[in-house]
Amino acid sequence: MSIHKKEIKRITTHTLQEMKARGEKIAMLTGYDFSIARILDAAKIDVILVGDSASNVMAGHETTLPITLDQMIYHASAVVRAVNRALVIVDLPFGSYQGNSKIALESTIRIMKESGAHAVKLEGGKEIKESIERILTAGVPVMGHLGLTPQSIYKFGTYSVRAKEEQEAQELIENAKFLEQLGCFGIVLEKIPASLTQQVSELLTIPTIGIGAGMHADGQVLVVHDMLGISKDFQPRFIRRYLELYDSMKQATEAYIKDVKGGNFPDLSEQYE
Ligand code: KIV
């Protein structure tokens, strides 16, 4: 008797392209660890982004700048071990690709070899042309990221909506077309007006994935901690909370403390003879 293991169809960059072509929206969430990535994959999320937002939500830094390449690889390899279906994309952290395409390629090769991830994401447009080209030449799929790019927060000064003015909107459109021509398989659009997202998404054949960029993107991404309501203090309007985990985890912890202190945990059924 032979046992037929049910084959799981993996999501690839080509799958995302096909989804855009047939008008099916792409669902993406961030993930940084094995346990949560396993749940997201079981729920059939299309893409898990090992975002450098790990710097904020996992490590408590104010910005994404401090996270290192080694730390991104640690998070990415935990996610990859959990996943059977989703496409896993990893952010190249600040300092690992800007300005020097050789360093960009070396950083990418480390991510791909040491974590087993499927693609990388970089922030920026024309200014990082050489880095993107070199990574693509090595056969690694690249996702772009335009609009609010958190690695440049000290240049912007605030996390407010980008590209509201005509000139910045035009630059963003040019960069989006440029990234598509270079060979990127998709672009994250962060915190830009919905009408601009619509314009860009209609212009491109590669999918756009929005965060705070309105309903017209070809897909959506949220930081998983925001979507689950684990982080309490960050509540911009573009986040929809599907759970209030901060409150329920706090209540569970309080109940545990009460049981331990009251001598109610463990009970007879929870101990060995
Ligand atoms: O790091 C991250 O979580 C991201 C998303 C906001 C797109 O880049």
Side-chain angles (χ1 to χ4, degrees):
M1 196 178 74
S2 67
I3 297 168
H4 296 288
K5 224 174 146 192
K6 204 173 154 219
E7 219 167 87
I8 296 167
K9 197 158 185 288
R10 293 206 78 116
I11 305 287
T12 67
T13 56
H14 301 283
T15 320
L16 304 188
Q17 194 81 52
E18 288 160 11
M19 287 169 83
K20 168 154 182 157
R22 63 173 179 263
E24 181 182 341
K25 296 272 188 184
I26 297 162
M28 169 160 140
L29 281 169
T30 65
Y32 319 100
D33 67 86
F34 179 85
S35 302
I36 290 188
R38 202 156 58 151
I39 299 169
L40 304 185
D41 195 56
K44 294 196 166 56
I45 194 79
D46 298 312
V47 185
I48 298 181
L49 170 68
V50 183
D52 58 359
S53 49
S55 179
N56 310 104
V57 295
M58 300 301 287
H61 292 296
E62 207 175 304
T63 72
T64 57
L65 275 66
I67 200 160
T68 65
L69 185 60
D70 283 335
Q71 289 164 341
M72 288 303 295
I73 291 170
Y74 168 81
H75 288 296
S77 49
V79 168
V80 169
R81 282 194 288 276
V83 162
N84 290 313
R85 177 180 176 276
L87 181 78
V88 179
I89 305 173
V90 182
D91 266 339
L92 279 174
F94 179 67
S96 72
Y97 64 94
Q98 292 96 340
N100 184 331
S101 64
K102 185 169 176 285
I103 291 179
L105 180 60
E106 282 166 5
S107 305
T108 302
I109 287 175
R110 279 203 59 204
I111 288 177
M112 301 301 284
K113 267 189 183 294
E114 295 176 39
S115 77
H118 312 129
V120 294
K121 175 166 82 60
L122 289 77
E123 294 182 7
K126 290 179 180 161
E127 70 281 8
I128 52 164
K129 172 179 182 280
E130 279 84 25
S131 292
I132 295 177
E133 274 175 342
R134 202 146 173 183
I135 295 168
L136 287 169
T137 309
V140 178
V142 174
M143 174 169 258
H145 185 155
L146 298 171
L148 177 64
T149 46
Q151 291 179 11
S152 308
I153 188 58
Y154 291 119
K155 185 178 91 182
F156 298 142
T158 74
Y159 285 98
S160 53
V161 179
R162 304 299 314 171
K164 280 170 112 173
E165 309 300 331
E166 185 56 27
Q167 193 191 330
E168 196 182 336
Q170 279 311 321
E171 273 169 26
L172 190 143
I173 292 170
E174 287 311 311
N175 271 323
K177 289 197 286 193
F178 179 79
L179 291 177
E180 173 167 272
Q181 276 156 18
L182 265 190
C184 289
F185 70 87
I187 303 177
V188 165
L189 298 175
E190 181 163 354
K191 235 172 165 192
I192 61 170
S195 55
L196 180 58
T197 303
Q198 180 170 22
Q199 216 182 330
V200 173
S201 305
E202 284 172 4
L203 267 174
L204 302 186
T205 59
I206 57 170
T208 58
I209 310 288
I211 174 162
M215 61 177 74
H216 302 294
D218 301 306
Q220 297 292 329
V221 58
L222 283 177
V223 168
V224 70
H225 288 61
D226 297 335
M227 188 279 279
L228 295 175
I230 297 176
S231 34
K232 196 90 174 137
D233 36 9
F234 183 61
Q235 308 212 0
R237 67 191 280 180
F238 68 81
I239 291 173
R240 185 178 294 179
R241 292 182 188 281
Y242 288 82
L243 277 177
E244 291 295 343
L245 266 191
Y246 180 96
D247 294 330
S248 36
M249 288 173 82
K250 184 164 170 276
Q251 279 159 20
T253 308
E254 285 164 354
Y256 169 75
I257 294 167
K258 191 164 167 249
D259 282 351
V260 170
K261 296 206 180 273
N264 296 317
F265 175 78
D267 65 16
L268 283 175
S269 72
E270 291 159 331
Q271 64 188 12
Y272 299 101
E273 294 303 321

